[in-house]
Structure formats: C-alpha cells, structure tokens
Amino acid sequence: MMRMIVFACSISLFVHSAHAMTQSEAVETALKSNPEIQAVRLEQLGTEGRLDQAGQLLRNNPVIEGSVSRKDTLPEGGEKVRNYGVRLSQEFELAGQRGLRVDAAKSGREKAIQDTRDRERVLIAAVKDAFARALAAKRKIELAGEAVTLQEELVASASIKFQTGDISGLEQNLAEVELGKARRDRMLAEREQREALLGLQEVLGMKPSANFSIEGELPSEAPFIPGKDKIRDAVAQQRPDVQSATAEVQQAKSAMQLARREAIPSVTVSGFYNKDERLNETGVMLSFPLPLFDRKQADRKEAAAKAGQALIKHASLERTIDREIEEAHANLVSAAEELSLFKKDVLGKAMENLGLMNLAFKEGKFGFFEVRLAQKDTIDAQFAYLESQVRLQLALNAWEKATGGSLK
C-alpha cells in the first residue's frame, strides 16, 4: 500500500512539473503573486480606513472633566467641607465639514482603486511582453535545431561527394565549419531561452525553477486594426489612470472646499454639575474660538495648489495618451504589414527554393556553394519571420496597454 502511495505521489509531482504555463495562466499568476501589486492593494485598504474615519458622525471624542476640593466653612477655620464638580464637553462642526471630508475620502478611495487597476494594466503588458520573448526563444531553439539538421545532412552529402571526387576538400571543410556554427547558434538559443524564462518568472513573482516551461503561439496572421480616432473616445472609459486622475481632481476640489469650511469655528457644548455645602449647580456652556489669527490660510493655499497640480496632471495625461495611441497604432500597422510580407512573399519561396536546391545537389546539378547559400537564405528568412511575429505580438501588447482594452 505504501509503495502505491509513493508511486502515485511521484506521478502527480511529475505531471505538475511537466505542466506548461499558458499566457492567461501567467497573467493570473502575476496578478496574485507580484509583490508590487500586493503593495498597491494594501494602499487601497488604507483608503478604506480613511473613509471610515471621515464618515464618523463626530470627529472629536467627548471630554469629561472632574474636580474635587476641600474648604473651610469659616475664615478662621472650622468644619471642613468637600466640593465636587463634573463637566462633559463635545465639539460640533457647523459648516458641513463632515460631508466634504467624506467626499474627499471617497475620491481618494476611487483613486486608489483605479491606481491598482492601472498597475495591473502595466503589469499585464509586461507579462505578455516577457511571455512573447520566451515563446520566441523557445521557437529559436527549434529553428536552430532544424538548421543543425540541415547542416548535418549537407555534411553527410558533402562527405559522399568528396569520396567520389565531385567536390574538393575545401568544400567539405566548409560544410563542417557551417555545422559547427549551427551548433553554436543552438547553444546561444538555449541560453537565451533560459534568460527569457528567468525574466518571465521574475515578473510573475515566482521563484526560479529549472522545470518552468510555457506553451503558446505567436501571431501568424495580421489582425484587424481599428482606426485610432475611434479609439480615443473610448480610452477615457477604459484607461484606469485617466479615471484615477479624474478622481484625484475631485479629491483636490473637495479638500479645497473643506479647507475653506474648516476656517469656520466649531462650537463646543458643555454640560456641568457642581455641588458645594450650600447648593447644587447644573448648567450648559457654549464656547467657540475667535478666528482672528488662524483662519486656515496655509491649509487653503496648500489645497488650492494641490487642486491646480491635479488639473495639470490630468491635462498632461491626456496629451500623453494621444501620443501613446499614435505610436502604438503606427507600430501595430507596421508590424502587421511586415508579417504579411514575410509570410506571403519571402518565407514560402525560400523554403521551396531550399528543397529544390537540396534535391539538385544530390543529383549533382548544383554545387556546394549554391546549396549553402540557399540554406543560409532559408534559415535567415525563418529567423526574420520569427522576429516579425515577436514584433507584432509586442505591438499588440503595446496597443492594449495604450488603449486599456484589446482589439477583440
């Protein structure tokens, strides 16, 4: 029984380690594990506490005071009597400060929520970029392996032709040199993949693991690209940093109004009870400070300055978004055209030429150098096509990041 349990656990661990992560799983993992996102979410919790504090009916706690004393009943002394006193005071705001304080706290909470969403937007784009580069590194290993296979076949054919006297020793040596270069390129591709996977795991907030692997496909077709002018109208609703800037402006306006209202004095209501040897005294007192010197001048200037900064930041963000959309749209159009060009006019013809050249070389119709050139052109075309796929995927990611949405 114990052996069966150990065997089952071993199988489960093997299956778990062999699981290849998809892009959607990578995004989900990053949103859960990335430390920067976790820190931003804690800040959001802090704004919830400030809103609770601002919503309290009375801002200050009541104050209770008590006194006890002894005094003589006669000037020359005599019987000692005790006097008692107690006072309960509560400060009340009269100018609606609580409502403005709640409005400012609500805007602060909304800003924190949108800041969290915006950080998630940036993180998702970073994850997708790192995932695309890791997929490209994985594909480079496959292409490098195919190049090694081609060179090995060429070396084998060159060895046979050298023995039959159809090619020179120089040509055979060149074939072996090209094989060595292909093997070196495969080693470089493997190192690049290791670095790409480590970079992806870092973005995800995961510990480095040698068993980490991914699966997915880079785009092979150019997507439909909408007009950038139609997108601009929807960006304000999709981009969380725009909504964050709007909430910050509203928060600053509420804070500016609150600073003006806080210049109005609050009244303190006190109820008291005093007892001495002759009588008991009960009453109510009202008190408020006279705003002769401190009229919250500094607070009002600071609030006005922050409101101005928020408006400037909002306007600057709109210009930044226009530039980002323009740049992302241009890069997306260029990358889509490049991919279509490679797929239609370059890659297919290069592969066809290579097959014909290899067949003709075996039949003795073409020399070694012609076949070597065809192989090089084909391998270069495949790597160039891969680079165009990566550029298109990065352009798609940049477009989603700039618009706050996707093309779908």
Side-chain angles (χ1 to χ4, degrees), residues 239 241-242 245 312-322:
R239 289 255 313 222
D241 53 345
V242 177
I312 293 173
K313 180 181 177 181
H314 190 280
S316 176
L317 180 60
E318 291 180 346
R319 292 192 295 269
T320 300
I321 290 176
D322 289 341

Side-chain angles (χ1 to χ4, degrees), residues 104 107 247-257 303-304 306-308 310:
S107 298
E248 185 177 3
V249 170
Q250 186 59 45
Q251 182 185 20
K253 290 181 178 179
S254 298
M256 187 168 59
Q257 295 175 359
K306 289 184 177 180

Side-chain angles (χ1 to χ4, degrees), residues 216-237:
E217 297 292 337
L218 291 168
S220 58
E221 298 290 342
F224 169 75
I225 304 175
K228 58 180 180 293
D229 295 331
K230 297 180 180 180
I231 294 296
R232 284 192 176 93
D233 298 333
V235 167
Q237 300 177 353

